[in-house]
Amino acid sequence: MEWEIVMGLEVHTELATKTKIFCGCSTEFGGEPNTHVCEICSGMPGTLPLLNKRVVEFAIRTGVATNCTITQNNKFDRKNYFYPDLPKAYQISQLYLPICRNGYIEVNTKDGEKKKIGIHEIHMEEDAGKLIHDEFEDCTLVDYNRCGVPLLEIVSEPDFRSAEEVIDYLSKLRAILQYTGVSDCKMQEGSLRADVNLSVRPKGQAEFGTRTEMKNLNSFHAIERAIAYEAQRQIELIEDGEKVVQETRRWDDNKGYSYAMRSKEDAQDYKYFPEPDLPPIEISDEQIEEIKSTMPELPEEKRERYLNELGLPEYDTGIITGDIALVKFFESTLEKCDSPKDVANWIMGEVMKLLNDSATLTENNPLKPEALAAVINMVKSNKINRGTGKKVLEKVFTDGVDPEKYVEENNLAQVTDLSALRPIIEQVIAENEKSVSEYKAGKTQAMGYIMGQAMRALKGKAPAQEVQKILKEILG
């Protein structure tokens, strides 16, 4: 029997506000445990929440960028559940009137076609704290720094049919959130994480199967592996005559399997009711239009411009526009070196190699745009050749040298006096009689060896085209 996977995503993204959603505590990542906490976010009796206006603005920006309808009269609700990392024993969220609804993001299918993934809703809510399990002391500690950090939960329709569609959707959603300044989307810090709701059904069947939810997946690699594992687990259960249980599961990426955490709750299990301490939110047409007027160029728009106006290859365009740090680096370099294809080639080649080899994230790239532009301009003007340019760029990356000073101080500039090349090339020819004879006998590949010896003798400081031209003049 042929099976089909059906998936929906619940994506949580922490917003790039300086303070929490209902109080003035810092949202900065990495502070000492329980140092970014006050009476409000720690759930002390008698305290009242005060909504951060910036959170509403970020929610609207996200809704506009994902083709949603903005709910102009929306409100908060209480979601009641009892976990140690939730000091109030409830979460302020939105169930009945979420701020954004009925949007979509377009993804590419395996067949290369476009497909719209529906966004059911986007709602605002507060994050919970973090449990730290101490295996040595056999206890669990609670850090409330994350309590009250503002979140958007972006809930898709069950429109995904493959892991490839999921990854494409998440890549595009991450880029949208970064471009609009809504979130830094650092998955390694938990500021973007996804819950995958997955079921399987015989291909062609209209009815959905029983779904499970895999919680808090925070890397694309983990998401792909978790989807493959859970789909196969459900298929094997059904084929063995057993039933899939609706439940929440946790994925262990180190061990490569998931395990049950608890039965999957439905909305009624949380006993939602309207949040009594916060008034409804009214958003005017003018507010929406003002936000629309300040929206930056979005990923798809930038991609089209790079392809059509700058003439970049589709693959390069996809990589660069998929990462806001690369976009900023590319565009800043381009301001100092008016050659889009050269800049893209160096970023896709040497810069990405340096980042990958050193395990450096793009947002932590130590290269400055002006340094890359200086190297490109020196290669374009034939001051240095490309091989030297690569070595100079590596030195800039590792030691932060000034590229132009480094070239000058280490005598790396190419020979500009072409008359000085001929005697050295003649000497190389005299020292390689065998290869010269082979070339004259018709073995054209011998020219490559002679050329290599000439460049070595010239210490790579001569224009390769001129060296080849002189070689052919002498050898006939």
Side-chain angles (χ1 to χ4, degrees):
M1 181 183 292
E2 191 174 358
W3 296 90
E4 180 178 58
I5 307 173
V6 177
M7 289 174 287
L9 295 186
E10 298 169 17
V11 177
H12 292 84
T13 186
E14 292 181 357
L15 303 185
T17 57
K18 293 188 182 300
T19 56
K20 295 184 180 181
I21 186 169
F22 299 124
C23 68
C25 290
S26 170
T27 58
E28 186 180 358
F29 178 80
E32 288 295 314
N34 299 307
T35 55
H36 300 164
V37 182
C38 70
E39 295 87 346
I40 294 173
C41 55
S42 61
M44 295 296 176
T47 57
L48 289 173
L50 180 66
L51 178 60
N52 185 336
K53 183 180 177 182
R54 193 80 164 150
V55 174
V56 179
E57 179 191 328
F58 280 177
I60 297 171
R61 288 170 78 85
T62 305
V64 169
T66 53
N67 309 291
C68 288
T69 300
I70 307 302
T71 308
Q72 292 183 253
N73 293 288
N74 63 92
K75 63 184 181 65
F76 283 99
D77 306 290
R78 282 193 186 181
K79 179 181 181 182
N80 296 278
Y81 62 102
F82 304 97
Y83 290 158
D85 58 357
L86 197 67
K88 296 195 296 280
Y90 65 84
Q91 179 189 37
I92 301 177
S93 182
Q94 292 187 304
L95 176 67
Y96 301 109
L97 290 173
I99 191 166
C100 309
R101 291 184 284 195
N102 303 324
Y104 68 86
I105 290 176
E106 215 166 42
V107 301
N108 298 310
T109 66
K110 284 189 281 190
D111 302 325
E113 297 178 356
K114 298 286 186 184
K115 174 181 175 180
K116 287 182 179 178
I117 301 295
I119 292 176
H120 179 73
E121 67 177 60
I122 300 173
H123 60 259
M124 302 175 286
E125 62 184 22
E126 58 183 337
D127 208 347
K130 184 178 181 181
L131 297 178
I132 301 164
H133 305 290
D134 190 327
E135 296 179 4
F136 297 101
E137 296 292 334
D138 192 25
C139 67
T140 296
L141 306 173
V142 188
D143 180 5
Y144 289 129
N145 278 351
R146 202 171 64 184
C147 251
V149 168
L151 293 177
L152 291 184
E153 182 171 350
I154 302 159
V155 183
S156 82
E157 300 290 356
D159 291 341
F160 299 98
R161 298 295 179 267
S162 71
E164 290 83 1
E165 290 176 7
V166 168
I167 299 304
D168 194 32
Y169 170 90
L170 288 171
S171 298
K172 289 177 176 174
L173 177 59
R174 180 177 64 177
I176 287 169
L177 294 168
Q178 290 178 329
Y179 276 53
T180 53
V182 166
S183 174
D184 60 23
C185 295
K186 293 180 179 178
M187 298 184 81
Q188 71 277 11
E189 294 181 3
S191 60
L192 184 72
R193 50 195 192 265
D195 302 342
V196 179
N197 290 279
L198 184 151
S199 65
V200 297
R201 65 183 177 186
K203 193 148 193 177
Q205 177 180 297
E207 184 183 352
F208 289 164
T210 302
R211 78 185 191 279
T212 60
E213 180 185 34
M214 289 179 288
K215 295 287 289 183
N216 292 334
L217 299 166
N218 63 357
S219 79
F220 290 170
H221 177 70
I223 289 167
E224 284 187 293
R225 295 182 71 205
I227 287 171
Y229 174 90
E230 181 59 17
Q232 188 59 38
R233 188 188 72 87
Q234 291 189 19
I235 290 168
E236 289 176 1
L237 279 174
I238 297 168
E239 289 181 342
D240 290 342
E242 299 181 49
K243 289 187 177 181
V244 176
V245 177
Q246 183 174 328
E247 62 188 1
T248 299
R249 300 181 67 85
R250 183 171 296 281
W251 172 253
D252 188 322
D253 200 44
N254 292 323
K255 296 178 180 177
Y257 69 84
S258 66
Y259 56 91
M261 292 172 59
R262 59 182 182 269
S263 61
K264 173 70 175 136
E265 302 93 340
D266 287 317
Q268 64 268 22
D269 297 318
Y270 291 116
K271 297 180 177 64
Y272 279 94
F273 63 84
E275 169 55 54
D277 292 334
L278 287 165
I281 302 163
E282 294 186 4
I283 300 167
S284 67
D285 292 337
E286 290 75 20
Q287 285 175 294
I288 295 172
E289 289 306 313
E290 183 181 351
I291 287 172
K292 284 182 177 178
S293 69
T294 60
M295 291 287 282
E297 186 179 41
L298 293 174
E300 284 303 306
E301 298 167 335
K302 197 173 288 290
R303 181 178 174 278
E304 290 301 314
R305 182 167 65 83
Y306 283 9
L307 285 170
N308 300 325
E309 294 182 23
L310 302 185
L312 299 188
E314 190 162 347
Y315 179 77
D316 295 10
T317 297
I319 297 294
I320 294 172
T321 58
D323 188 324
I324 191 65
L326 282 181
V327 166
K328 290 176 179 177
F329 186 66
F330 171 78
E331 294 189 351
S332 295
T333 306
L334 197 56
E335 289 175 4
K336 300 166 180 64
C337 171
D338 189 19
S339 181
K341 289 185 179 179
D342 283 329
V343 175
N345 286 342
W346 277 85
I347 288 176
M348 292 298 296
E350 296 313 306
V351 174
M352 293 302 290
K353 181 179 184 300
L354 290 167
L355 292 172
N356 290 334
D357 288 351
S358 61
T360 302
L361 297 172
T362 52
E363 58 263 32
N364 297 329
N365 180 10
L367 285 173
K368 303 297 182 190
E370 51 269 25
L372 177 59
V375 172
I376 294 172
N377 287 332
M378 284 190 288
V379 172
K380 281 181 66 182
S381 64
N382 286 324
K383 183 175 182 179
I384 58 175
N385 60 37
R386 191 177 179 88
T388 302
K390 291 178 181 180
K391 293 174 183 175
V392 172
L393 192 67
E394 183 176 359
K395 199 70 178 172
V396 176
F397 185 90
T398 56
D399 297 347
V401 301
D402 179 289
E404 290 172 316
K405 284 184 180 177
Y406 184 78
V407 166
E408 185 179 343
E409 290 169 358
N410 291 274
N411 194 27
L412 297 175
Q414 292 197 114
V415 177
T416 54
D417 180 7
L418 299 182
S419 63
L421 302 180
R422 197 174 188 94
I424 298 172
I425 294 171
E426 288 175 344
Q427 180 68 27
V428 168
I429 290 172
E431 292 172 355
N432 291 274
E433 292 181 2
K434 182 182 177 184
S435 296
V436 170
S437 299
E438 289 175 351
Y439 174 72
K440 289 183 175 179
K443 291 185 178 179
T444 55
Q445 62 267 33
M447 175 58 84
Y449 177 79
I450 301 168
M451 178 76 178
Q453 295 301 306
M455 292 301 292
R456 182 177 298 174
L458 292 161
K459 299 180 181 177
K461 292 164 59 178
Q465 287 180 327
E466 293 298 330
V467 173
Q468 191 172 51
K469 181 179 175 183
I470 294 170
L471 273 171
K472 287 184 176 179
E473 283 176 4
I474 297 172
L475 296 176

